[in-house]
């Protein structure tokens, strides 16, 4: 294939509830759809999920847009035989993972549509529905948190992740644990405990499935030290960008699990390398989220249908995040599961009316 046309559709979807983490508060999700067309008129779409602030990782929507138009598109001028080749082409650009992922996943989607098959046909064994979890932001009070968790449990979510920060940790988590003794429960600190790791040790008796990224990015030795003192497995999120990072954290014993997000690692090809590395080193791997719209969610559901993803991911129904979505069939929860989309490519169909309603700007980038 040869990419002859590219358009960026900037969108905003308001969130049903603000999402609070140890580093900030999100009230709407701004994202771009990257629409690529090849010489035969086949279209592929990728989602740029970067946030407006560099508070989760270093990339932003603005930095990723610049990386895409200035550095990544110029690498796509030739013929592309297979989407795997994009990974190789992009090796000359350092970092900029979410930018790379937006382009690479659009090319995978285009490739699947051109071959009239679902991207699941490029993955090893797959499931048709997935047990899913939900990530709950920091709430105003413990009562509100317990009520929120009860609501999600009633909706069928099979695993609950709770955002924590110093001072909003042991008490709310213990209250949830007391109300739901059997719940598959975990916590995510987004790196907030660098100066007080002892507060993480205090969570060790709650029977948590894991604790995600307690210490700051790159403190792999600190994570190793903490893991040694804990029964609860640690999980790394922000720290894992490549399969080589998996080799490092496995060798150090910094964690026992990886939260894999396709955009954080630069796309599907690197995500596959990471799954293989996790299997090689015996680390658990599960699929995380970035408040994706229906486009990124369909891609995530297809990817997470692979056998190694047995632990329910941050793959929630569209209505957990948004009032409305920009695809014709937003993900819905049924018996605690989401269906893996079966359509061609990444399995979504854009809803043009909804895109017109939530689009902020359209920019022709190529052609
Ligand atoms: O740390 O996993 C995280 C959302 C945005 C940025 C970082 C994280 C998250 C989540 C929610 O925890 C994931 C989701 O449900 O999409
Ligand atoms: Mg996380």
């Amino acid at each position: 294939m040869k990419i002859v046309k590219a358009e960026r559709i900037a969108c905003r979807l308001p969130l049903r509830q603000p999402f609070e983490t140890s580093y900030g508060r999100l009230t709407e999700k701004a994202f771009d759809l990257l629409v690529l067309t090849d010489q035969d008129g086949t279209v592929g779409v990728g989602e740029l999920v970067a946030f407006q602030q560099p508070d989760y990782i270093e990339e932003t929507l603005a930095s990723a847009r610049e990386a895409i138009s200035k550095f990544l598109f110029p690498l796509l001028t030739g013929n592309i035989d297979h989407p795997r080749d994009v990974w190789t082409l992009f090796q000359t650009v350092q970092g900029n993972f979410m930018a790379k992922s937006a382009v690479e996943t659009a090319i995978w989607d285009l490739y699947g549509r051109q071959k009239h098959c679902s991207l699941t046909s490029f993955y090893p064994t797959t499931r048709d529905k997935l047990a899913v979890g939900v990530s709950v932001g920091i709430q105003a009070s413990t009562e509100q948190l317990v009520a929120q968790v009860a609501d999600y449990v009633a909706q069928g979510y099979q695993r609950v992740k709770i955002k924590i920060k110093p001072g909003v940790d042991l008490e709310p988590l213990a209250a949830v644990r007391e109300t739901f003794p059997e719940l598959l429960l975990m916590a995510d600190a987004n790196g907030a405990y660098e100066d007080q790791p002892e507060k993480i040790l205090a969570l060790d008796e709650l029977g948590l499935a894991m604790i995600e990224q307690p210490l700051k990015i790159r403190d792999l030795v600190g994570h190793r030290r903490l893991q040694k003192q804990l029964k609860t497995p640690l999980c790394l999120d922000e720290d894992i960008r490549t399969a080589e990072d998996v080799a490092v954290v496995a060798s150090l014993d910094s964690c026992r699990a990886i939260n894999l997000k396709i955009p954080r690692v630069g796309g599907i090809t690197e995500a596959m390398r990471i799954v293989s590395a996790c299997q090689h080193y015996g680390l658990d791997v599960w699929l995380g989220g970035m408040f994706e719209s229906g486009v990124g969610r369909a891609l995530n559901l297809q990817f997470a249908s692979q056998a190694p993803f047995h632990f329910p991911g941050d793959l929630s129904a569209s209505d957990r995040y948004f009032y409305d979505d920009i695809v014709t069939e937003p993900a819905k929860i049924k018996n605690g599961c989401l269906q893996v989309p079966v359509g061609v490519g990444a399995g979504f169909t854009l809803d043009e009316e909804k895109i017109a309603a939530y689009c902020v700007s359209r920019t022709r980038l190529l052609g």
Side-chain angles (χ1 to χ4, degrees), residues 209-239:
M210 57 187 82
I211 301 172
E212 187 171 323
Q213 195 78 40
L215 307 181
K216 74 176 186 189
I217 300 181
R218 294 209 167 86
D219 190 5
L220 303 176
V221 172
H223 280 105
R224 166 194 166 85
R225 198 178 305 126
L226 194 55
Q227 181 66 86
K228 275 201 183 311
Q229 303 173 72
L230 285 166
K231 299 189 290 244
T232 311
L234 291 181
C235 170
L236 289 175
D237 170 355
E238 286 89 329
D239 263 319

Side-chain angles (χ1 to χ4, degrees), residues 19 23 51 56 135 161 163 188 190 212 237 259 261 289-291 314 321:
F19 186 73
Y23 59 77
F51 296 105
Y56 163 64
S135 172
K161 169 167 124 179
K163 293 285 183 178
D188 186 1
N190 292 104
E212 187 171 323
D237 170 355
N259 168 342
K261 300 180 185 178
M290 292 282 297
F291 275 71
D314 286 342
Y321 309 92

Side-chain angles (χ1 to χ4, degrees), residues 2-189:
K2 194 170 155 53
I3 306 302
V4 297
K5 212 166 91 181
E7 188 187 23
R8 171 172 76 212
I9 308 177
C11 301
R12 281 167 194 260
L13 285 174
L15 296 185
R16 277 178 182 268
Q17 299 162 350
F19 186 73
E20 194 173 323
T21 62
S22 60
Y23 59 77
R25 195 176 160 89
L26 193 72
T27 54
E28 63 170 11
K29 181 73 206 293
F31 60 96
D32 290 351
L33 296 178
L34 204 58
V35 184
L36 306 184
T37 309
D38 76 357
Q39 75 285 1
D40 303 323
T42 310
V43 173
V45 183
E47 180 168 342
L48 173 59
V49 303
F51 296 105
Q52 287 169 299
Q53 304 289 328
D55 44 14
Y56 163 64
I57 62 170
E58 66 283 358
E59 278 181 275
T60 65
L61 207 44
S63 73
R65 282 177 183 163
E66 166 143 308
I68 289 170
S69 51
K70 208 164 161 184
F71 305 117
L72 299 178
F73 275 170
L75 298 171
L76 297 178
T77 49
N79 191 56
I80 302 163
D81 287 331
H82 193 281
R84 264 193 312 265
D85 303 342
V86 177
W87 183 90
T88 314
L89 285 172
F90 284 176
Q91 288 305 294
T92 54
V93 174
Q94 301 301 329
N96 294 285
F97 300 96
M98 294 180 181
K100 288 176 178 173
S101 177
V103 180
E104 197 241 24
T105 58
I107 290 173
W108 274 97
D109 181 49
L110 197 158
Y111 185 74
R113 290 177 195 269
Q114 187 189 62
K115 302 269 178 239
H116 306 288
C117 60
S118 158
L119 294 189
T120 54
S121 59
F122 303 109
Y123 307 143
T125 51
T126 59
R127 286 180 284 251
D128 58 5
K129 62 179 190 329
L130 311 179
V132 292
V134 61
S135 172
V136 184
I138 295 169
Q139 304 291 311
S141 69
T142 296
E143 294 67 42
Q144 235 165 289
L145 174 67
V146 172
Q148 180 65 263
V149 171
D151 185 22
Y152 287 136
V153 168
Q155 289 179 45
Y157 287 103
Q158 303 199 31
R159 186 232 61 192
V160 175
K161 169 167 124 179
I162 298 190
K163 293 285 183 178
I164 55 170
K165 65 178 180 184
V168 192
D169 39 32
L170 179 59
E171 196 258 337
L173 280 171
V176 172
R177 175 47 89 216
E178 201 189 331
T179 317
F180 301 99
E182 305 296 328
L183 181 64
L184 195 53
L185 184 66
M186 60 177 290
D188 186 1

